[in-house]
Amino acid sequence: MRDYTTLYQQLGQLAILTEQSGEMPADEIVLLKESGLLSVVLPGHELDFSDDHMPELLNLLKDVGRSNGAVGRIYEGHINTLFLIHLYATAEQRNYWFNQVEQYQKLFGVWNTDGAIGISFKRTENAVTINGAKGFCSGSSLVDYALIGGKTDRPSNGSDWQMVIVPMVLVDEPRIDYNSWKPMGMKASVSHTIDFSGIEIENDALLGMPGDYLKAPYFLAGAIRFASVQLGMAEAVYNNTLAFLRGLNRLEDPFQKMRIGRMAMAVHTGQLWITNSGNEFDSHKNQPDKYNHLIAYANLTRLTIESVCLEVLELSAKCVGAKGLMAPGDLERWHRDLSYYLRQPAPDATLQNAAGFLIKNDEGIEHFSGTTAVKTENNEYTVYS
Ligand SMILES: Cc1cc2nc3c(=O)[nH]c(=O)nc-3n(C[C@H](O)[C@H](O)[C@H](O)COP(=O)(O)OP(=O)(O)OC[C@H]3O[C@@H](n4cnc5c(N)ncnc54)[C@H](O)[C@@H]3O)c2cc1C
């Protein structure tokens, strides 16, 4: 991978300024566009989706998250959209949208969480009319193309959930509810509610068939991407905690040492799960008989990362105390951002589903753990079982 250290430093500095000003993270997105990272998964680029690069992609998402959690969130949405285009677009659509990224550095986002009135699509011969709103639209007006999911009036394959890619030039300012986003953390992800009602677009904005968005294994296994951003944020909490204690000359204290050791154990556990889940993804993504294993592994990865991050946050708070968590200090923001970003959909059901898989395949936990794919030196996979 190219060295993006300077970008990460700049994104880290901007996180402080944007938090203080309360403005949109526009400068951060300009930097992201200039860095070339928007194109990194396109054909012929470093992490081309056509090849096996998931562990590297997860590490990249982690690195961006460690520099700036909000940008990590927005960048993950961009990568997710490009992956859905890679999987489900026609050749013509793929060329068009990929070219928008390659030539013009356009930013994409996936907004699937419905607002108070969910999205629906009414189709005519040549056009689609949208009704409803989306909540949690990370990147908001900074995004150039938004992938939104909604109920189509032309269901097929037993599903009515259709993807549509909306050029944001069609979404004028009054549709964006800037008052809708007053979260505890991740303010700079600018995840506003946006009303799409009445917007009409051409049929070639339809991506894939109804049901494609939720297809196994990609939808559920995709949780490993946001988990990687979260782990990067936990690494930032660890690094900032150490820097704070070093400034106070408190690193020789045995209790502080114990907490730092436990934080390092937690972060490294997270890294092992992320790396394994990336290898799992690459080795099993084209093997339908392995999809359930892959999804269960991704679900458990996501939940392990949540536990790891919660442990790091608790230990960090004990290490630095009240003074260390005072605004406008950097740590105060990291604590709020990570605590908030850890709240992802249906964590209880996620654990139940993974446990359900383990119970159904009652072959002993050693079988589940032992089938984890490991990448060998010549880039092939060995599956230990
Ligand atoms: C910073 C941030 C950025 C985001 N950006 C985007 C984005 O760009 N695009 C997008 O589509 N989404 C985005 N989201 C939304 C995200 O995908 C989730 O929809 C959101 O985080 C759900 O969180 P929740 O805690 O409210 O989930 P919930 O699923 O409501 O979980 C809350 C609690 O309720 C429990 N629970 C869930 N369902 C039930 C039930 N039926 N009965 C009883 N208990 C239940 C859960 O187990 C959990 O304990 C973002 C979220 C965050 C935090």
Side-chain angles (χ1 to χ4, degrees):
M1 281 296 294
R2 264 179 55 201
D3 183 5
Y4 294 98
T5 311
T6 308
L7 169 73
Y8 299 147
Q9 283 164 352
Q10 291 170 324
L11 290 177
Q13 283 154 7
L14 284 173
I16 301 167
L17 298 176
T18 301
E19 180 78 10
Q20 284 167 0
S21 69
E23 300 288 324
M24 302 284 283
D27 292 344
E28 288 87 323
I29 299 305
V30 170
L31 283 177
L32 203 56
K33 290 184 173 188
E34 288 171 354
S35 73
L37 276 182
L38 293 189
S39 309
V40 77
V41 291
L42 298 185
H45 287 261
E46 272 177 297
L47 303 182
D48 186 341
F49 279 137
S50 303
D51 304 323
D52 290 342
H53 291 301
M54 191 50 87
E56 294 89 342
L57 178 59
L58 297 181
N59 273 336
L60 171 64
L61 290 166
K62 190 187 71 161
D63 290 344
V64 178
R66 187 175 57 245
S67 73
N68 185 317
V71 174
R73 163 69 219 122
I74 294 169
Y75 184 57
E76 193 278 328
H78 174 81
I79 295 293
N80 189 6
T81 321
L82 297 190
F83 190 51
L84 291 164
I85 291 171
H86 164 79
L87 290 173
Y88 302 118
T90 63
E92 201 181 329
Q93 287 177 315
R94 197 177 300 121
N95 284 344
Y96 177 76
W97 284 317
F98 281 1
N99 193 46
Q100 290 295 300
V101 182
E102 179 104 51
Q103 291 290 320
Y104 308 109
Q105 285 75 48
K106 297 295 183 187
L107 178 70
F108 284 63
V110 178
W111 301 336
N112 197 53
T113 309
D114 275 330
I117 300 173
I119 293 283
S120 58
F121 303 120
K122 197 168 168 15
R123 288 183 59 184
T124 55
E125 198 56 39
N126 300 313
V128 183
T129 307
I130 310 173
N131 188 41
K134 284 288 180 193
F136 289 96
C137 300
S138 288
S140 182
S141 59
L142 298 172
V143 164
D144 299 299
Y145 287 92
L147 188 161
I148 59 172
K151 287 185 178 173
T152 172
D153 60 351
R154 296 201 192 166
S156 70
N157 299 330
S159 172
D160 63 359
W161 199 254
Q162 173 70 52
M163 293 180 278
V164 166
I165 295 191
V166 183
M168 286 298 285
V169 287
L170 300 179
V171 179
D172 44 6
E173 282 283 308
R175 293 177 174 278
I176 303 175
D177 182 358
Y178 290 100
N179 287 321
S180 63
W181 186 240
K182 297 203 164 72
M184 151 193 182
M186 294 291 270
K187 284 181 197 158
S189 72
V190 288
S191 306
H192 302 119
T193 296
I194 300 183
D195 189 354
F196 292 88
S197 299
I199 290 178
E200 197 178 276
I201 42 175
E202 288 176 15
N203 269 339
D204 57 9
L206 294 164
L207 175 64
M209 298 296 291
D212 279 351
Y213 180 74
L214 300 167
K215 252 191 197 162
Y218 305 112
F219 175 63
L220 291 172
I224 57 180
R225 284 189 310 267
F226 71 69
S228 300
V229 176
Q230 293 170 340
L231 183 64
M233 295 169 74
E235 289 181 350
V237 171
Y238 173 96
N239 291 341
N240 279 282
T241 302
L242 240 70
F244 182 83
L245 291 179
R246 189 166 282 120
L248 293 179
N249 208 15
R250 284 186 171 181
L251 280 171
E252 287 310 310
D253 178 72
F255 296 98
Q256 299 286 19
K257 277 185 178 160
M258 282 176 64
R259 281 192 284 266
I260 288 158
R262 285 176 53 205
M263 283 169 74
M265 287 155 64
V267 168
H268 191 62
T269 300
Q271 180 64 64
L272 295 172
W273 274 86
I274 289 292
T275 304
N276 278 356
S277 66
N279 285 328
E280 278 279 311
F281 190 92
D282 280 350
S283 66
H284 293 159
K285 66 179 180 223
N286 296 321
Q287 294 178 288
D289 61 319
K290 295 280 176 23
Y291 283 176
N292 287 338
H293 184 280
L294 170 56
I295 291 168
Y297 201 87
N299 280 340
L300 292 181
T301 301
R302 168 196 154 176
L303 296 172
T304 303
I305 298 301
E306 184 195 348
S307 303
V308 154
C309 292
L310 288 172
E311 190 179 355
V312 169
L313 285 169
E314 185 186 356
L315 290 164
S316 162
K318 287 180 179 166
C319 279
V320 302
K323 287 195 279 294
L325 294 172
M326 195 77 80
D330 221 12
L331 253 179
E332 183 267 349
R333 190 195 74 254
W334 277 114
H335 270 253
R336 281 187 294 103
D337 282 357
L338 180 54
S339 301
Y340 193 71
Y341 193 37
L342 287 178
R343 295 305 109 224
Q344 291 299 319
D348 301 326
T350 301
L351 183 53
Q352 301 250 330
N353 290 342
F357 170 80
L358 293 169
I359 291 162
K360 203 167 157 205
N361 291 269
D362 188 18
E363 298 160 319
I365 189 66
E366 69 280 11
H367 184 78
F368 179 74
S369 315
T371 51
T372 299
V374 173
K375 212 173 197 172
T376 59
E377 273 176 15
N378 45 1
N379 254 3
E380 285 163 359
Y381 287 98
T382 304
V383 178
Y384 295 101
S385 55

